[in-house]
Amino acid sequence: MEFFISTLLFGISVGGQYALIAIGYTMVYGILRLINFAHGDVFMVAGLLGIYLSASFPLYVAMPLVIILTVALGFCIERVAYKPLRSAPRMSVMISAIGVSYLLQNTATYVTGGQPMIYPTLPFLSDTITVAGTSIKWVVVLTPILVVVLVILLTQLINRTKVGMAMRAVAKDFETSQLMGIKINSVISTTFIIGSALAAVGSMLYFTNYSSVVPTVGSMPGLKAFVAAVFGGIGSIPGAVIGAFLIGICENFVKILPFEGATTFVDAFTFALLIIILVFKPTGLFGEKATDKV
Amino acid sequence: MIQEKRSKRGALLGLAASILVLVLVIVLENTLAPTSQLFVVLKKGAVYSLVAVSMNLVNGFTGLFSLGQAGFMLLGAYTYAILTVPVSAKDTVYYLFGGSAVKFSLPDLFGGVDTPTGLILGVLLAIILGGCVAAFFAWLIGLPVLRLKSDYLAIATLGFAEIIRAIFQWQALGPITNGANMITQIPTFNNFNITDESGKVVFRLSAFFPMLIMIICVALIVMLINSSYGRAFKAIREDEIAAEAMGINLAKHKMLSFVISSFFSGVGGALFAMFANNAQAKVYTSTMTYEILLIVVIGGIGSISGSVLSTFLYVACSEWWLRGLDMGSFLGIKLGLFRNGFRMVVFSVVIMIVVLFFRQGIMGNKEITDLLKPRKKTKEVAK
């Protein structure tokens, strides 16, 4: 029973971290119809920034700085790699995203020398508490709460403010919203800024659990977050969050399945789930149905 | 009529160029020192260009954005490796699992790796079976996912490749796949060097063999693209709905393109196992697919000769010409900046520049034969 509860709690916390990344995916996809393959690597860069900055600054300076720099990175990626391709076919933009991902990974390999780096222990988050007889880190308990708060704030932003209204309009119809006087470039930049900031927060929580940072560390959580976004219905923020929690929990239960080598299938399970959803319910849990016009 | 003449001339030119290249490879191989990086480039280039062309067939000519190449390569590589480990070596290779569940070995069935018939028949059969296994799995996965649209298809095929990778690392399949360990002691390109009784190499064919297989496979793909099927593929790429209205069976042609492409990826994977001297699941990651995709983009999406050209350029740069960037001195310049990994950074910047500013790549959707005027001599060697 204790084992069950600790697995569940751990699953929820991993799910929360995926959720923070998945929001970035789902918002970008909703607006640009682009799978931002580089998003997982932005998350990885945030982890590396955390390591390097905390080595030279006290934590209360370093962590906000990590968020600011990650946001700047996300903003620059959009301006340099995606904006020039706005009128290009969707495939070109996606290839550009893969190129950015490749660039970030290779740069990270160069800077770190390919060695795994160890993420600093954040005070409080790394402290352990005892819940239902099992001792776990604070981060495991805090992540879901933080995610829920952030999601509520975000939905308020999208449903109640002017920027949010602009975002919804752009997601609905790119060209018409442009005609209505919405500055789509600034809306898209805002999306990337929010996504990157959440990825930075996610990286702090994630690497408190798994403290080793290697250049390819972002690709798997990135892909899983994307699967979560698809699962929840791409474009929908609550959908992405619920999808992420479900995937996090299922994944941790797959890990403890009673057959030999079950851990090998943790990643495979997520992708099998993805293929099943895509085949049977491509719009996901909360997605809107899209029809093709000839 | 003119079209036909031109394609005939193209075919002749291609044939002549291929023979020229093959002869050149044999001559070079038996004159230069075998340690030259050139041969690594030729072998790896041959393998990668076959995979790049197969990816181009499905991504560039049919317009299906598939990212499953690494998975199909893995299937080909493992099929090849499992079927060719000599019976005498099975116990040492599979020592963790107490021997292999596959009790035979194809080269041994035809007389062993050391005899010419055993080597050629066994290896060729294993390579072809590798392609067939990849094609079969492509058919299986294609049934559900080929209905998906561009980016969903990409992510579904990427996911499929990851699933395959996990299955092949599963310890429970150890007696067949050797679990997470690599399968070694398989026949490699070096087995094709002709030796005398004392084991001394008298005639080198180790780079000739992959080049030959690559050229044959690429020629088959070119023939497919120039056939009515190829025209149907292109029609689907240009406009699915219009193609369907013209009477093209979308599901059938998409599946055909996907399966054939996977077949050749499987063959490429088998060759890659020969190149790497082993088969190991953890090599065939999505990064490998991305690498091949970027090669295709640099060469020009929709150009076979572009893909081949860019593969050899890419491999030559990464394995040979730009080595200095990692070693500390490049073109005589010594900089502290030049240390491990810098080459790949330079590479990725170049790739980004190509993706952003030269979206057509080297060849766009033209072929080398299109560029040659009747009276001009053949300049490019790479076919």
Side-chain angles (χ1 to χ4, degrees), chain B residues 74-282:
Chain B
L74 186 151
L75 286 167
Y78 265 86
T79 312
Y80 172 79
I82 290 165
L83 292 177
T84 56
V85 178
V87 175
S88 54
K90 293 232 179 204
D91 285 338
T92 43
V93 173
Y94 288 92
Y95 71 97
L96 280 176
F97 301 95
S100 164
V102 183
K103 295 290 178 212
F104 64 97
S105 149
L106 285 179
D108 284 354
L109 289 184
F110 297 105
V113 193
D114 302 320
T115 59
T117 40
L119 181 67
I120 293 171
L121 278 178
V123 166
L124 278 185
L125 200 60
I127 289 177
I128 292 171
L129 280 175
C132 291
V133 169
F136 172 71
F137 276 90
W139 175 75
L140 218 57
I141 189 67
L143 285 177
V145 305
L146 280 180
R147 284 184 296 167
L148 302 171
K149 287 272 161 0
S150 59
D151 29 15
Y152 281 126
L153 176 67
I155 201 94
T157 44
L158 195 69
F160 167 72
E162 292 292 331
I163 295 173
I164 290 282
R165 198 156 62 89
I167 293 174
F168 275 81
Q169 285 176 321
W170 190 20
Q171 292 292 324
L173 288 176
I176 301 170
T177 63
N178 210 8
N181 317 81
M182 55 171 90
I183 302 181
T184 50
Q185 308 218 11
I186 53 177
T188 63
F189 293 147
N190 284 336
N191 287 58
F192 284 86
N193 289 334
I194 297 171
T195 52
D196 56 14
E197 284 84 32
S198 58
K200 199 169 153 283
V201 179
V202 285
F203 195 65
R204 291 183 185 280
L205 288 172
S206 64
F208 169 78
F209 177 72
M211 289 296 275
L212 179 71
I213 300 270
M214 183 275 279
I215 286 174
I216 293 173
C217 291
V218 170
L220 287 175
I221 296 177
V222 170
M223 273 150 68
L224 174 77
I225 285 169
N226 289 335
S227 71
S228 66
Y229 288 109
R231 286 194 292 277
F233 294 164
K234 286 181 206 164
I236 294 174
R237 168 188 71 187
E238 297 302 332
D239 192 331
E240 269 188 23
I241 295 161
E244 200 172 18
M246 299 307 284
I248 292 171
N249 185 340
L250 281 191
K252 183 184 144 199
H253 282 91
K254 280 181 174 178
M255 182 62 94
L256 200 65
S257 158
F258 189 61
V259 167
I260 292 174
S261 154
S262 309
F263 174 84
F264 287 110
S265 297
V267 170
L271 291 178
F272 190 80
M274 295 181 84
F275 168 76
N277 299 343
N278 59 56
Q280 193 178 19
K282 73 173 183 197

Side-chain angles (χ1 to χ4, degrees), chain A residues 29 35 37 80-81 85 88 90 94 98-100 102-103 106 110 220 226 234 260 264-265 268 271-272 278-279, chain B residues 65 144 147-148 151-152 154-155 159 162-163 166 170 290-291 293 314 337 339-340 342 344 348 352 356 359:
Chain A
Y29 193 93
I35 301 178
F37 277 104
V80 175
L85 298 176
R90 262 162 77 188
M94 205 150 120
I98 290 176
V100 172
Y102 200 60
L103 176 65
N106 285 328
Y110 173 65
M220 218 13 102
F226 180 77
I234 200 138
E260 193 198 354
T264 341
F265 286 100
F271 291 109
L278 284 180
V279 170
Chain B
F65 200 10
R147 284 184 296 167
L148 302 171
D151 29 15
Y152 281 126
I155 201 94
E162 292 292 331
I163 295 173
W170 190 20
Y290 294 164
E291 207 180 353
L293 175 72
Y314 179 92
L337 207 62
R339 57 186 167 82
N340 232 349
F342 191 65
M344 291 316 285
S348 10
M352 278 316 291
L356 288 177
R359 229 175 298 157

Side-chain angles (χ1 to χ4, degrees), chain B residues 3 16 22 29 91 98 101 115 130 134 169 179 201 219 229 270 283 288 310:
Chain B
Q3 184 72 39
L22 288 175
E29 212 173 2
D91 285 338
T115 59
Q169 285 176 321
V201 179
Y229 288 109
V283 179
M288 194 175 206
S310 83

Side-chain angles (χ1 to χ4, degrees), chain A residues 196-271:
Chain A
S196 310
L198 292 177
V201 176
S203 85
M204 290 168 198
L205 302 173
Y206 185 86
F207 292 120
T208 305
N209 271 344
Y210 307 94
S211 62
S212 155
V213 186
V214 290
T216 50
V217 78
S219 56
M220 218 13 102
L223 283 174
K224 281 180 188 162
F226 180 77
V227 175
V230 173
F231 190 54
I234 200 138
S236 143
I237 289 173
V241 173
I242 292 171
F245 277 123
L246 279 176
I247 284 180
I249 294 167
C250 292
E251 183 183 292
N252 274 281
F253 277 105
V254 169
K255 240 181 237 175
I256 58 164
L257 281 183
F259 67 89
E260 193 198 354
T263 42
T264 341
F265 286 100
V266 173
D267 300 337
F269 161 78
T270 316
F271 291 109

Side-chain angles (χ1 to χ4, degrees), chain B residues 44-57:
Chain B
K44 195 176 178 189
V47 177
Y48 264 46
S49 52
L50 175 55
V51 183
V53 169
S54 78
M55 189 172 201
N56 208 341
L57 172 67

